[in-house]
Amino acid sequence: MARAKAGDTLGRLFTPADRLLIVLLLALSAGSFAAVQRLRPLGETVVVEADNREVYRGSLREARHLEVRGPVGTTVVEIQGGAAWVSSSDCHLHICVHTGKISQAGSVIACVPNRVVVRIEGRRHNQFDAIIG
């Protein structure tokens, strides 16, 4: 019975036109996000920083295995096949590991507890930080 009351309340708050507008705005947002992702150029250079100091800069096309030491241990960065990723880290939550592979210019992986940043640079720099649809 409580569900029916909640549904009735939502039905009174939103008209069919409101629901259609919400669906259209969500679709527009998803389409804008996909368009921005496609417009970003592929990266060419990987930059690895530890504690705000650059420890590696090299081509995204050269395979590398980097072990970067930080305050909580070692962060392992892999570069292969035009992508870079953190394969393991001694940090607590492993958000950097779960970020996955990055290959587009402007992409970043940050291991905040270990103060390690992996970023991709490209030949061209975007003029915009973001496009909001």
Side-chain angles (χ1 to χ4, degrees):
M1 296 304 256
R3 283 188 133 191
K5 288 182 180 179
D8 291 342
T9 302
L10 288 176
R12 280 185 263 145
L13 287 175
F14 299 110
T15 66
D18 292 337
R19 293 181 191 140
L20 178 63
L21 180 63
I22 290 169
V23 169
L24 289 175
L25 289 174
L26 288 173
L28 181 64
S29 296
S32 297
F33 180 77
V36 167
Q37 293 301 315
R38 285 186 176 183
L39 292 175
R40 293 172 65 182
L42 288 176
E44 295 184 1
T45 304
V46 180
V47 178
V48 180
E49 297 173 342
D51 205 17
N52 289 328
R53 291 181 311 135
E54 187 174 304
V55 294
Y56 176 78
R57 175 181 289 268
S59 172
L60 194 56
R61 308 291 174 244
E62 292 180 25
R64 291 278 182 184
H65 172 91
L66 304 170
E67 295 184 3
V68 182
R69 296 221 176 257
V72 297
T74 302
T75 298
V76 177
V77 178
E78 303 285 347
I79 304 165
Q80 189 173 14
W85 67 96
V86 174
S87 61
S88 69
S89 182
D90 291 333
C91 62
H92 213 52
L93 298 176
H94 300 281
I95 293 172
C96 54
V97 175
H98 297 300
T99 300
K101 296 179 179 181
I102 57 173
S103 61
Q104 294 178 316
S107 299
V108 174
I109 299 172
C111 181
V112 176
N114 215 19
R115 298 181 185 164
V116 174
V117 174
V118 179
R119 61 185 163 86
I120 306 295
E121 293 181 349
R123 203 178 318 163
R124 295 182 308 163
H125 294 283
N126 288 337
Q127 296 175 342
F128 308 104
D129 291 335
I131 299 172
I132 299 173

